[in-house]
Amino acid sequence: MIIGSRPTKFQVVVDKNQCMLCGRCVENCSYNVFRMEPEGIITNTRNCVACHRCISQCPRDAISIKERPCDYRSHPVWTAQIKENIFKQAESGKILLGGMGNAGQYPILFDHLVLDACQVTNPSIDPLREPMELRTYIGKKPKQLEFIQTPEEDTSLVTELVPNLKLETPIMIGHMSYGAISLNAHKAMAKAVSEIGTFMGTGEGGLHEALYPYQNNMIVQVASGRFGVDVNYLERGAAIEIKIGQGAKPGIGGHLPGEKVCADVSCTRMIPEGSDAISPAPHHDIYSIEDLKQLVLSLKEATEWKKPVFVKIAAVHNVAAIAAGIARSGADAVVIDGFRGGTGAAPSVFRDHVGIPIEAAVAAVDAKLRKQGIRNEVSIIASGGIRQSADVAKAICLGADAVYIGTAALVAMGCRVCGTCYRGLCSWGIATQRPDLVTRLNPDEAANNVKNLIDAWTLELAELMGAAGINSIESLRGNRDRLRGYMLDQSMLDVLDVNAIGA
Amino acid sequence: MTQITIDAAGIHYTPLNKQIRQAVRDGASEIILNNIMGQRFIGDGLTGNVKITVNGVPGGDLGMFMKGPTIEVFGNADHAPGNTMDEGTIIIHGASGDATGHSMRGGKVFIRDDIGYRGGIHMKQYMDKRPVLVIGGSAKAFLGEYMAGGLVIMFRLSDDEPYAEMGLASGIHGGEIFIRGTVEDWTLGIGSNAQPATSEDLERIKPYILEFSSYYNIDPTSLLNNSFTRIAPVSARPFAGKYTWE
């Protein structure tokens, strides 16, 4: 039985009275929605993914896109998405793959948390006038500091400090590999973080030569596939991150399809052109915390103990116990990636149904590490679903030292979150390797946008801290008293260790 | 040619590796490590053209991330010798543990006896970098799983029965595996294909048979005259047909 075609997701209309037939929409659409005919611009609406490239480039605002102009009978259970997924799987018998983050209708806990502000009894701080300390150090901290005093009354530190990463703002950019995104996108973010004094991740695709100038602000990643990993790569990074899991697809590995492995990607990943790049779910030399410890130590040993080593895991229900193990593995930071984390491609059943929200995961990890007296052993980096500066502040209140942003940085470069990264046709030149599309992203302009975004969030963070009477990020970290839960049930408040509003 | 001897008795691996690195920086061309007793990470991330002789039993991740040196072990080795190794040679006069040659990117690893589970897993190759893992004895399950490139040769010197360990070359999408004798069909993992090795195949692996034999003083004649099974990927994209788009 042929199920037939589904209703189009979008309807694209060109206003013929406005259109001046310049053809920019035809040139700019990588999904072949538009074509020029003698009678005007003709649209093939079915191809549209709502990336909005055409709208952004139209000089006459002649294009409009409407979502789902023809729908199924509305039904609260058998939604259009559910039905279409069934149609596709009934036709193909295959796993459904989707791009970007969790598209499930889960409540966003960040939006049920409100920040505190000082009034009369305890005055707020004016960030315009008072210094606000947002500098953050990622890595192990000693339990206490020991000093000696010389006969000349000079004081010197005896405690040996291990290498930490120094961030001028607690906002970093998480790992997106070269292959998943374009070189220009990488260059833009690398330039931005180096100007700001923060860091970004390479992803598991190796480090392209063009990024060597920014290597002091790059965190190199070691995933199970070990793509692009050699001793030079490890030495170039400011820190090394072992990727165990990611929020968009907890429990499964990474897979860059062969069609995205072009010549340049192949040399960075050090695999043949056109070959699949498969990072299986487990690292095959890690089957326990003891094995993880061995990988952490091997990376430290290979780089002569000069670099912090992070371990990234997906937020899952047992995350606190896992993080406690990671803290004892010798890692300097644990990265927890929540279930709203983005990705180029993930089986949508994982993306939408596996894992837990970052808010709960960070709170649980922070609480567990404090309870065990090892919170100083490891920094916590929260990622997966950080959309605005308020989310950064709330994540830090819940116990994070810093955050990784991903999708937000892409949006700063033009991404419309159309969710079709896996097709490699990104019309903004971000999630593509097609040379003509890649050149659409000007790395300098995009770098400026990303820098502006992080600068703006950092300013807002300082303002939020000042309002809460706090002048140092250290005092905000794990400070649940500056948060209140709004419309959350008691069990959720208990997990977050946050009081309800009015309490 | 400078030869340096280090007595490793009771030394932790970090100071030991520091001594090795310093010796290489000072221009040593040969380093002899005596009384090695389980120290991990020997030669981890070490670069250069140096020969290291290990007398004893090294711990896990011998020669991990190594780029260039030659390590010869007179004893068994723990798990994952040659892990993510880049260039150089490891010769083990004995057996080794699980994940031997894990994610090797280049260089050669020779094991005289058996290896554990997951040998040669995720080996890969790029241009002229083609890692080689040669096993004198046999291997446990999951040999060559997810192999993306490189060459595994296994002689099974003390076995005459067909090779019968599960998960052989599961998900293999590059490279090739040669096993002396035949393999049981059920051992083959997803995406792998087994065929009798041709005379051209045998000609290609002949240099490694000779190299292996020279390290362990074995007469190569019988190995050269034996039949081998070649296991290779069915496709460079084994999972391409598994997905449909949302």
Side-chain angles (χ1 to χ4, degrees), chain B residues 8-20:
Chain B
I11 301 182
H12 182 266
Y13 58 75
T14 301
L16 176 63
N17 267 328
K18 272 189 184 164
Q19 285 188 49
I20 294 170

Side-chain angles (χ1 to χ4, degrees), chain A residues 277-291:
Chain A
I278 301 168
S279 275
H283 286 244
H284 289 292
D285 50 358
I286 304 178
Y287 283 82
S288 64
I289 286 290
E290 288 73 24
D291 288 351

Side-chain angles (χ1 to χ4, degrees), chain A residues 365-410:
Chain A
V365 168
D366 178 57
K368 173 77 94 181
L369 297 180
R370 280 189 289 118
K371 193 175 169 192
Q372 296 190 356
I374 53 169
R375 181 62 184 86
N376 63 305
E377 284 292 313
V378 72
S379 293
I380 299 173
I381 300 164
S383 74
I386 306 285
R387 307 155 297 160
Q388 53 198 341
S389 62
D391 295 350
V392 180
K394 291 170 189 177
I396 292 172
C397 286
L398 290 170
D401 290 77
V403 302
Y404 271 160
I405 60 169
T407 307
L410 302 187

Side-chain angles (χ1 to χ4, degrees), chain A residues 104-166:
Chain A
Q105 299 261 354
Y106 301 98
I108 295 173
L109 293 176
F110 280 134
D111 294 343
H112 288 270
L113 290 167
V114 284
L115 289 155
D116 187 28
C118 297
Q119 299 300 304
V120 181
T121 52
N122 182 26
S124 48
I125 299 168
D126 180 0
L128 289 175
R129 166 156 69 80
E130 307 292 337
M132 303 299 286
E133 185 59 68
L134 278 97
R135 184 174 287 167
T136 302
Y137 289 89
I138 300 293
K140 287 181 189 304
K141 313 289 187 296
K143 267 202 162 63
Q144 60 182 56
L145 293 174
E146 285 178 27
F147 300 89
I148 48 163
Q149 210 152 27
T150 58
E152 297 82 37
E153 301 273 301
D154 279 347
T155 305
S156 4
L157 181 66
V158 179
T159 313
E160 204 174 317
L161 300 176
V162 299
N164 271 226
L165 276 195
K166 185 172 96 174

Side-chain angles (χ1 to χ4, degrees), chain A residues 47 107 167-168 208 211 251 364 394 410 414 465 485:
Chain A
N47 287 353
L167 283 56
E168 297 302 334
H208 192 277
L211 299 174
K394 291 170 189 177
L410 302 187
M465 284 164 53

Side-chain angles (χ1 to χ4, degrees), chain A residues 157-214:
Chain A
L157 181 66
V158 179
T159 313
E160 204 174 317
L161 300 176
V162 299
N164 271 226
L165 276 195
K166 185 172 96 174
L167 283 56
E168 297 302 334
T169 172
I171 304 163
M172 297 187 278
I173 300 178
H175 290 256
M176 292 172 275
S177 71
Y178 175 44
I181 61 170
S182 68
L183 190 57
N184 276 354
H186 254 195
K187 276 188 206 164
M189 294 189 290
K191 189 162 183 275
V193 293
S194 66
E195 284 175 15
I196 295 164
T198 184
F199 294 83
M200 73 170 276
T202 57
E204 58 168 304
L207 185 69
H208 192 277
E209 270 184 26
L211 299 174
Y212 289 177
Y214 310 107

Side-chain angles (χ1 to χ4, degrees), chain A residues 5-121:
Chain A
S5 67
R6 268 79 69 191
T8 58
K9 280 203 170 93
F10 306 99
Q11 184 180 41
V12 185
V13 177
V14 179
D15 183 339
K16 290 202 168 16
N17 293 326
Q18 290 289 321
C19 177
M20 61 181 203
L21 298 173
C22 68
R24 284 195 203 170
C25 51
V26 182
E27 283 167 28
N28 272 279
C29 181
S30 49
Y31 298 91
N32 292 323
V33 170
F34 303 94
R35 70 173 192 276
M36 184 81 85
E37 294 287 337
E39 63 270 30
I41 301 286
I42 303 296
T43 60
N44 181 0
T45 281
R46 186 164 293 282
N47 287 353
C48 181
V49 299
C51 73
H52 281 206
R53 179 76 187 181
C54 54
I55 289 179
S56 73
Q57 300 300 304
C58 177
R60 301 287 290 271
D61 290 333
I63 303 168
S64 59
I65 298 175
K66 279 186 191 163
E67 191 163 10
R68 205 170 268 287
C70 164
D71 217 327
Y72 303 86
R73 174 210 161 191
S74 64
H75 195 291
V77 179
W78 297 92
T79 61
Q81 185 73 58
I82 292 279
K83 276 181 279 207
E84 287 186 4
N85 287 348
I86 291 176
F87 292 151
K88 282 172 191 163
Q89 296 196 294
E91 284 168 342
S92 68
K94 293 177 182 178
I95 294 171
L96 275 169
L97 215 52
M100 304 308 285
N102 191 331
Q105 299 261 354
Y106 301 98
I108 295 173
L109 293 176
F110 280 134
D111 294 343
H112 288 270
L113 290 167
V114 284
L115 289 155
D116 187 28
C118 297
Q119 299 300 304
V120 181
T121 52

Side-chain angles (χ1 to χ4, degrees), chain B residues 178-243:
Chain B
F178 289 91
I179 296 177
R180 189 179 67 88
T182 55
V183 302
E184 294 272 13
D185 278 347
W186 62 264
T187 64
L188 291 170
I190 293 168
S192 63
N193 174 269
Q195 297 291 334
T198 63
S199 51
E200 291 81 27
D201 291 333
L202 294 175
E203 206 51 41
R204 278 190 294 121
I205 65 168
K206 186 176 171 183
Y208 303 109
I209 294 178
L210 296 175
E211 190 173 350
F212 174 86
S213 305
S214 72
Y215 291 138
Y216 305 113
N217 285 325
I218 292 169
D219 179 4
T221 318
S222 74
L223 280 176
L224 291 169
N225 292 332
N226 256 290
S227 61
F228 282 78
T229 302
R230 176 177 182 267
I231 293 113
V234 173
S235 153
R237 315 252 349 249
F239 306 119
K242 200 175 162 187
Y243 302 104

